[in-house]
Amino acid sequence: MTMFKSIVPISLVCLLAYSCTNLQRKTESVATTNDTIQTKSVQDPVLHLSDSDTILLDIQNGKATVQIYKQADQGINLRFPSGDYTRMTGMITSKDSMANIRFSQIVMPDGQMDGPFGKDISYGLPVKGDYLLLLRENLMAGDPWAGDFQVTVMLSR
């Protein structure tokens, strides 16, 4: 009986740990004739800042456009290589005029960070490498928001 009492709590902890890590994500890609538009829907509303939650932008001719659906309180990460480009501009657009989403931070290849920004960003790329754009809600300006939006990133020399 004593052995049974010790097995039950251990089993419950293992079951809880397994159920918390068993999350599913859905990702789709759509290509058009002129631009590649990637549509991503990340089903997990919990904010994770890992590579599995990052959308790699497909930069073609210095431009990438991504259609995204986000859930309330969900952060989106966009990664792009700078290549030989030295400047980045970006804009967030949505049909919802109350969309509470912005460029929260930019993370440079050397780990330095800058931000926050708004729905538009213009930033110099002083170092070659992979840059990370963090898109988040502005918690000082409104409530958590869910919906569709589009991000366009343009790179120039």
Side-chain angles (χ1 to χ4, degrees):
M1 185 71 166
T2 325
M3 187 170 119
F4 180 73
K5 287 182 181 179
S6 65
I7 291 176
V8 171
I10 292 171
S11 299
L12 288 175
V13 168
C14 291
L15 181 61
L16 180 62
Y18 173 76
S19 65
C20 288
T21 59
N22 191 16
L23 302 171
Q24 293 182 337
R25 290 168 173 61
K26 179 182 175 184
T27 302
E28 300 175 0
S29 276
V30 179
T32 64
T33 54
N34 293 337
D35 294 329
T36 299
I37 298 178
Q38 301 166 337
T39 302
K40 307 285 183 175
S41 176
V42 182
Q43 298 293 339
D44 178 12
V46 178
L47 175 64
H48 297 285
L49 296 177
S50 67
D51 286 336
S52 63
D53 300 303
T54 299
I55 299 168
L56 178 61
L57 293 178
D58 182 18
I59 305 286
Q60 294 184 8
N61 298 320
K63 182 179 178 184
T65 300
V66 181
Q67 299 280 64
I68 301 171
Y69 173 81
K70 73 172 271 324
Q71 296 183 20
D73 292 320
Q74 178 186 19
I76 304 292
N77 304 324
L78 303 177
R79 181 178 303 277
F80 67 93
S82 64
D84 291 330
Y85 296 104
T86 58
R87 184 144 211 79
M88 183 272 308
T89 57
M91 67 180 121
I92 298 172
T93 55
S94 176
K95 291 180 181 176
D96 180 357
S97 63
M98 300 302 288
N100 182 9
I101 187 74
R102 67 176 174 168
F103 291 102
S104 176
Q105 290 185 306
I106 185 168
V107 182
M108 288 157 249
D110 60 6
Q112 292 186 20
M113 302 171 83
D114 197 2
F117 305 94
K119 292 189 185 222
D120 296 310
I121 183 174
S122 181
Y123 205 86
L125 306 175
V127 180
K128 279 188 180 185
D130 283 358
Y131 284 78
L132 188 65
L133 292 171
L134 307 181
L135 286 73
R136 305 286 185 268
E137 297 159 342
N138 183 349
L139 300 178
M140 302 297 282
D143 294 326
W145 175 79
D148 294 304
F149 65 100
Q150 179 175 300
V151 179
T152 301
V153 173
M154 293 166 285
L155 303 179
S156 60
R157 291 182 175 88

